[in-house]
């Protein structure tokens, strides 16, 4: 019956997930980073890692998709194509580990990566090495490998690499967005290919889309109205806390 389907779809966890995604996407929209890193581990705790990641993927993809039209004209395809391609292959193969590993192992991997990234953010770390096809492939494989194997966005690695490029911020942001978008499409494709989505999971994930999209737009608006330098440090400290909780939990 319709009521039975409704009770399978709507749960307290889904309600909490809606609020979590809304809050995290405000952070994402405001500071331009960290939202995805926050969402995934909390979703992994609310559900199990694979289900939580599956539920988070579609809202995150929708949030990125809205920003793509404005960014696409600024993308440096020479760098993005190599990085996104190597990242995509690593995502697809990384998912083999994600789907077969013990949930506790995945959570520990997630937590360690999140704490590491947050520490780098706090120290304003920037990549200062050389930039060539080799480094593009290396960063792509590292980004995709972490994304695929632990389901947590490896994007910050790629973002730090792109942010160190001697090009205007608009182009840096466009490169980060485009690479993240392609990676998320591949990640979703891999999950669909591996039959991770039941009808119910797909519907639940769809129901979470508005919370991410509205939150991200609200965050961007708040940044325009009241930009705050201290906010990125708060984001990093929150990430460290979430990383620790996931490892312990």
């Amino acid at each position: 019956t319709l009521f039975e389907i409704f009770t399978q779809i709507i749960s307290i966890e889904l309600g909490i997930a809606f609020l979590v995604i809304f809050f995290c996407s405000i952070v994402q929209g405001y500071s331009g980073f960290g939202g995805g890193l926050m969402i995934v581990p909390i979703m992994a705790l609310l559900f199990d890692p694979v289900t939580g990641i599956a539920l988070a993927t579609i809202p995150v993809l929708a949030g990125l998709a809205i920003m793509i039209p404005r960014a696409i004209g600024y993308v440096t395809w020479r760098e993005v194509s190599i990085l996104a391609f190597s990242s995509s292959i690593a995502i697809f193969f990384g998912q083999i580990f994600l789907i077969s590993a013990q949930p506790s192992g995945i959570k520990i991997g997630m937590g360690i990566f999140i704490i590491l990234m947050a520490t780098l953010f706090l120290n304003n770390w920037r990549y200062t090495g050389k930039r060539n096809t080799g480094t593009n492939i290396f960063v792509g494989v590292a980004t995709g490998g972490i994304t695929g194997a632990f389901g947590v966005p490896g994007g910050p690695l790629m973002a730090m690499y792109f942010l160190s490029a001697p090009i205007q911020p608009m182009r840096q942001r466009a490169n980060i967005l485009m690479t993240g978008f392609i990676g998320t499409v591949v990640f979703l494709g891999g999950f669909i290919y591996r039959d991770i989505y039941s009808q119910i999971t797909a519907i639940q994930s769809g129901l979470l889309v508005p919370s991410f999209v509205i939150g991200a737009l609200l965050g961007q608006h708040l940044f325009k109205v009241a930009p705050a330098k201290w906010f990125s440090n708060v984001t990093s400290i929150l990430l460290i806390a979430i990383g620790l909780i996931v490892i312990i939990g």
Side-chain angles (χ1 to χ4, degrees):
T1 64
L2 210 61
F3 180 71
E4 279 169 0
I5 296 168
F6 180 78
T7 50
Q8 277 182 297
I9 292 169
I10 305 299
S11 64
I12 292 168
E13 288 84 1
L14 195 72
I16 297 168
F18 195 89
L19 294 172
V20 164
I21 286 181
F22 181 65
F23 171 74
C24 295
S25 65
I26 292 175
V27 171
Q28 179 69 32
Y30 189 92
S31 62
F33 78 94
L37 275 180
M38 284 181 189
I39 291 169
V40 172
I42 298 171
M43 295 291 280
L45 290 172
L46 276 173
F47 303 91
D48 60 271
V50 174
T51 308
I53 293 159
L55 289 172
T57 303
I58 295 173
V60 169
L61 183 62
L64 287 169
I66 323 171
M67 300 188 239
I68 287 295
R70 265 191 291 185
I72 204 159
Y74 295 94
V75 174
T76 320
W77 288 106
R78 195 182 62 251
E79 277 203 332
V80 168
S81 56
I82 298 167
L83 213 143
F85 180 72
S86 53
S87 173
S88 298
I89 293 170
I91 286 172
F92 197 76
F93 286 106
Q95 282 183 345
I96 298 168
F97 174 80
L98 176 62
I99 289 156
S100 57
Q102 289 293 328
S104 56
I106 292 167
K107 286 179 188 167
I108 291 167
M110 264 184 195
I112 291 168
F113 178 70
I114 290 164
I115 292 167
L116 181 69
M117 286 297 106
T119 311
L120 292 175
F121 288 144
L122 273 174
N123 294 314
N124 275 323
W125 187 81
R126 282 280 181 273
Y127 174 76
T128 52
K130 55 184 179 179
R131 317 176 66 82
N132 52 38
T133 307
T135 56
N136 285 350
I137 292 170
F138 179 79
V139 174
V141 170
T143 299
I146 286 160
T147 306
F150 298 107
V152 62
L157 275 180
M158 159 274 287
M160 287 176 184
Y161 179 68
F162 278 133
L163 285 172
S164 68
I167 51 173
Q168 68 219 65
M170 191 73 192
R171 284 194 177 279
Q172 291 176 342
R173 195 175 165 82
N175 290 345
I176 293 166
L177 266 173
M178 197 68 207
T179 309
F181 178 72
I182 294 166
T184 311
V185 169
V186 171
F187 190 94
L188 178 64
F191 261 28
I192 292 168
Y193 171 76
R194 296 185 165 96
D195 280 334
I196 302 295
Y197 285 95
S198 62
Q199 256 181 317
I200 288 174
T201 317
I203 293 166
Q204 287 176 322
S205 192
L207 289 173
L208 294 170
V209 166
S211 72
F212 190 93
V213 171
I214 295 163
L217 293 171
L218 181 61
Q220 284 178 322
H221 177 70
L222 287 172
F223 182 74
K224 279 179 196 152
V225 180
K229 283 274 196 289
W230 52 265
F231 190 79
S232 60
N233 286 346
V234 173
T235 305
S236 302
I237 291 160
L238 270 174
L239 281 170
I240 290 172
I242 291 168
L244 288 170
I245 292 164
V246 173
I247 291 171
I248 298 159

